[in-house]
């Protein structure tokens, strides 16, 4: 459906906004050879159609003391509803995202913590949930995300 809502120029505008959502309309227009007004109309239309759902800021979490990332696989009892799986961790500030998935495991939780002790306490808290039957945690060594520039040590 999104393909019907946008064309190639819209895709270019989206990529430019994904690289830097603070770009001026004039800068975007110069890069896609459209007037500022035309770029604004296209962005407004994509917002109205739900293609653009918001804008965000990129944060260096390590500078805030939350530099360790991990993914934890969660397994639940067979009678656990998907909504309950999501609610298990969404109240935790360490949980950055929860993905319910088909098969084994039942969910994958992206965690961000201060240190290894903090990670251990977070995993212990998850395990205390009465419907969690097992966990497996994978530590993130490095990451790459499309459309984001991450500071990487040399």
């Amino acid at each position: 459906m999104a393909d019907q809502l946008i064309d190639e120029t819209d895709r270019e505008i989206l990529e430019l906004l994904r690289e830097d959502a603070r770009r001026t309309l004039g800068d975007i227009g110069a890069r896609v050879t459209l007037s500022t007004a035309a770029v604004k109309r296209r962005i407004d239309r994509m917002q109205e159609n739900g293609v653009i759902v918001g804008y965000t800021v990129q944060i260096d979490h390590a500078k805030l003391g939350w530099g360790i990332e991990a993914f934890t696989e969660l397994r639940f009892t067979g009678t656990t509803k998907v909504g309950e799986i999501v609610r298990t961790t969404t109240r935790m500030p360490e949980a950055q995202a929860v993905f319910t998935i088909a098969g084994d495991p039942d969910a994958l939780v992206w965690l961000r913590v201060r240190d290894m002790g903090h990670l251990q306490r977070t995993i212990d808290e998850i395990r205390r949930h009465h419907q969690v039957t097992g966990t497996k945690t994978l530590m993130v060594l490095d990451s790459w995300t499309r459309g984001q520039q991450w500071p990487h040590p040399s």
Side-chain angles (χ1 to χ4, degrees), residues 20-88:
D20 182 0
R22 295 182 65 182
R23 280 186 198 277
T24 66
L25 297 175
D27 177 59
I28 294 170
R31 292 170 185 260
V32 299
T33 62
L34 288 176
S35 70
T36 299
V39 170
K40 179 167 180 7
R41 281 192 303 274
R42 284 174 174 264
I43 290 173
D44 288 346
R45 179 180 39 81
M46 287 189 283
Q47 288 174 332
E48 290 167 12
N49 290 336
V51 173
I52 297 175
V53 295
Y55 297 87
T56 188
V57 63
Q58 295 176 24
I59 299 170
D60 185 340
H61 293 278
K63 289 185 179 173
L64 299 175
W66 290 64
I68 295 176
E69 292 178 274
F71 286 88
T72 298
E73 297 177 355
L74 301 181
R75 286 164 186 77
F76 289 80
T77 61
T79 59
T80 307
K81 295 186 184 312
V82 172
E84 182 62 25
I85 291 172
V86 173
R87 283 188 296 277
T88 299

Side-chain angles (χ1 to χ4, degrees), residues 1 29 34 37 44 53-54 61 91 101 104 108 112 114 121 123 130 133 139 141 143 145 154:
M1 174 143 178
L34 288 176
D44 288 346
V53 295
H61 293 278
R91 72 187 186 294
I101 52 182
D104 183 34
L108 186 63
R112 190 180 300 279
R114 292 182 298 273
R121 290 186 302 277
I123 299 302
H130 67 280
T133 61
M139 299 296 301
L141 300 177
S143 64
T145 304
S154 301

Side-chain angles (χ1 to χ4, degrees), residues 77-143:
T77 61
T79 59
T80 307
K81 295 186 184 312
V82 172
E84 182 62 25
I85 291 172
V86 173
R87 283 188 296 277
T88 299
T89 56
T90 54
R91 72 187 186 294
M92 303 173 69
E94 296 85 358
Q96 304 300 298
V98 179
F99 306 92
T100 55
I101 52 182
D104 183 34
D106 299 301
L108 186 63
V109 181
W110 171 26
L111 298 171
R112 190 180 300 279
V113 295
R114 292 182 298 273
D115 54 41
M116 296 307 290
H118 187 195
L119 178 61
Q120 181 176 339
R121 290 186 302 277
T122 301
I123 299 302
D124 287 345
E125 181 180 344
I126 292 170
R127 287 179 176 166
R128 279 193 293 272
H129 189 279
H130 67 280
Q131 291 178 306
V132 173
T133 61
T135 64
K136 176 182 173 184
T137 301
L138 308 162
M139 299 296 301
V140 174
L141 300 177
D142 197 3
S143 64

Side-chain angles (χ1 to χ4, degrees), residues 1-16:
M1 174 143 178
D3 288 340
Q4 299 168 3
L5 297 175
I6 64 174
D7 62 17
E8 190 56 39
T9 301
D10 291 334
R11 285 185 201 355
E12 290 178 48
I13 292 170
L14 289 172
E15 185 58 32
L16 290 167

